[in-house]
Amino acid sequence: YQNDLYHEINDIHQRILKEYGQKIVSEIDYLNTESQYQQVYFQVESAKNDLQSALLVLQQTLNLPSDRNFPLDLHLNFIKIHPDMDDVIDAAFKNNHDILMKQYAYESAKYGVDVFHAKKYPHVDMKGSYGYLGENFRDTLSFENGNNDIDPEKEWFLGVQTSMPLGPNSVEYSQVKRKYGPTVLALHGSEDWSHKFTFNLFDKFADITDEKSAQAALLQSQSEYEKAKNDVTLKIRDDFYNLQKSLIQIDSSAAKMRYQEKQNEVLRYMVGIQETQIQNLLEGLIEMAQNRFSFIQAITDYHLSVSSLNHSIGDSDTFDAEPK
């Protein structure tokens, strides 16, 4: 667009130079034309520098050498989308990687606190076994003669152990009962039982400090989780309003271009019949190039807003601003 503007302004500038040399136009008209020509020339050179800088940034992003040329599609196609901000925020809470990472850390910290809460309740452990025990009381000769039947007897074991924390201390109680079958040394079997009560002093001190650490980790993870949600929410709101603003700017720039194009046609005609000054036409042509740039900038901002929304959501395919 700047090159097209420059070529058209240059043709007018060359004509004014000739007319000024022939004393057809006044010096003030010549100076105004010269000033506008230099302005357009500066805009063309500035646009070239901006394009070279953008290409260098793109090559650096793609990790390519600066002399590497590759084709670029510079056509700005787009379709308008109208997302609902609340739906976008809900989708981000479900898919955004930062939020999910903070959410899992928060849930893990809650489980850590639950573990220490569970340690405050009484614990009961029970062990037991049941079976048969048999021994043969015959001599070796009886075994050799095949008289080696075993007479099994019941044998069982049951043990219960309970513990209860009392602040930094703990209380333990255990009861064990065993019943043995007959053996060579105890022909009628045997049984025993035991009770044990223990008071442990300051054996849970570490659990108290560890619980405080777990609670602190929970509060910190909760704070980071809420901060991540708030940051994403604020970013989505900014991107959402930037999206709406760019859509308005697109419509406004398109309307300005349609108006300026008609206005320039009128100015060309009036310049041809010498009803207006050439500077008015030059200003209209420069204004048209500026409106075209505003249109390009609005479309670029629109694509950036859509891309930023997809990034905040965590899914690059949520919104597609490109026509199929």
Side-chain angles (χ1 to χ4, degrees), residues 2-263:
Q2 293 291 345
N3 284 329
D4 293 342
L5 173 64
Y6 173 76
H7 292 317
E8 187 170 3
I9 296 292
N10 185 58
D11 293 340
I12 297 175
H13 178 251
Q14 295 298 325
R15 189 177 78 235
I16 294 298
L17 286 178
K18 292 179 181 180
E19 293 177 354
Y20 177 71
Q22 299 172 1
K23 307 298 182 180
I24 298 177
V25 298
S26 63
E27 185 174 0
I28 186 66
D29 292 337
Y30 161 73
L31 292 177
N32 287 331
T33 304
E34 185 70 22
S35 175
Q36 290 169 326
Y37 168 77
Q38 295 298 333
Q39 177 185 352
V40 172
Y41 179 77
F42 170 77
Q43 290 176 353
V44 171
E45 294 300 320
S46 178
K48 290 179 181 178
N49 292 333
D50 291 342
L51 180 60
Q52 292 177 355
S53 299
L55 287 174
L56 286 176
V57 172
L58 180 61
Q59 289 167 338
Q60 181 182 7
T61 304
L62 298 176
N63 196 23
L64 295 174
S66 59
D67 57 349
R68 173 74 177 273
N69 295 323
F70 52 93
L72 291 175
D73 184 7
L74 298 179
H75 291 86
L76 295 175
N77 301 318
F78 72 98
I79 55 175
K80 294 182 179 180
I81 62 173
H82 301 280
D84 182 79
M85 185 167 58
D86 293 334
D87 294 339
V88 174
I89 293 175
D90 291 340
F93 286 173
K94 296 178 181 178
N95 300 294
N96 185 274
H97 297 158
D98 291 336
I99 292 180
L100 291 178
M101 182 175 63
K102 297 296 189 298
Q103 179 183 356
Y104 294 148
Y106 174 55
E107 293 177 355
S108 176
K110 285 199 300 183
Y111 291 137
V113 173
D114 291 340
V115 168
F116 285 99
H117 285 170
K119 290 183 178 181
K120 296 181 179 180
Y121 297 109
H123 291 259
V124 178
D125 295 327
M126 180 177 293
K127 299 179 181 179
S129 64
Y130 179 83
Y132 288 89
L133 174 66
E135 290 186 345
N136 199 302
F137 305 108
R138 295 172 175 81
D139 55 14
T140 304
L141 182 59
S142 299
F143 276 98
E144 292 177 355
N145 295 331
N147 188 9
N148 56 354
D149 295 335
I150 297 177
D151 183 16
E153 297 289 343
K154 295 179 181 179
E155 185 175 76
W156 54 270
F157 156 78
L158 179 63
V160 179
Q161 182 176 1
T162 61
S163 62
M164 176 68 183
L166 297 175
N169 313 308
S170 67
V171 177
E172 296 181 356
Y173 171 76
S174 63
Q175 179 179 352
V176 179
K177 189 172 184 178
R178 299 182 180 87
K179 181 175 177 59
Y180 302 97
T183 63
V184 175
L185 300 179
L187 300 180
H188 301 288
S190 63
E191 64 179 60
D192 63 54
W193 62 272
S194 64
H195 295 273
K196 182 179 180 182
F197 177 84
T198 306
F199 179 80
N200 300 309
L201 184 63
F202 295 148
D203 65 320
K204 298 295 182 181
F205 228 44
D207 290 348
I208 296 178
T209 56
D210 291 343
E211 181 183 4
K212 296 298 182 181
S213 300
Q215 291 174 348
L218 175 63
L219 294 176
Q220 181 179 359
S221 61
Q222 183 181 9
S223 175
E224 293 177 353
Y225 176 47
E226 295 297 332
K227 182 179 182 299
K229 292 198 297 183
N230 292 334
D231 291 343
V232 171
T233 300
L234 292 176
K235 187 174 183 300
I236 288 177
R237 291 183 186 274
D238 290 341
D239 294 336
F240 181 83
Y241 289 118
N242 289 335
L243 177 68
Q244 305 304 318
K245 184 170 64 176
S246 62
L247 288 174
I248 296 174
Q249 185 65 31
I250 288 173
D251 295 336
S252 175
S253 299
K256 287 182 179 179
M257 286 192 298
R258 288 193 296 267
Y259 165 77
Q260 194 63 48
E261 186 176 3
K262 297 295 183 181
Q263 187 72 11

Side-chain angles (χ1 to χ4, degrees), residues 287-324:
E287 182 69 21
M288 184 64 178
Q290 292 176 349
N291 291 336
R292 285 173 172 173
F293 175 78
S294 297
F295 182 71
I296 294 173
Q297 186 65 52
I299 296 178
T300 303
D301 293 342
Y302 174 73
H303 280 288
L304 289 175
S305 298
V306 173
S307 177
S308 184
L309 281 177
N310 289 335
H311 180 268
S312 298
I313 293 174
D315 184 2
S316 60
D317 298 327
T318 301
F319 300 114
D320 189 2
E322 293 282 349
K324 299 299 183 182

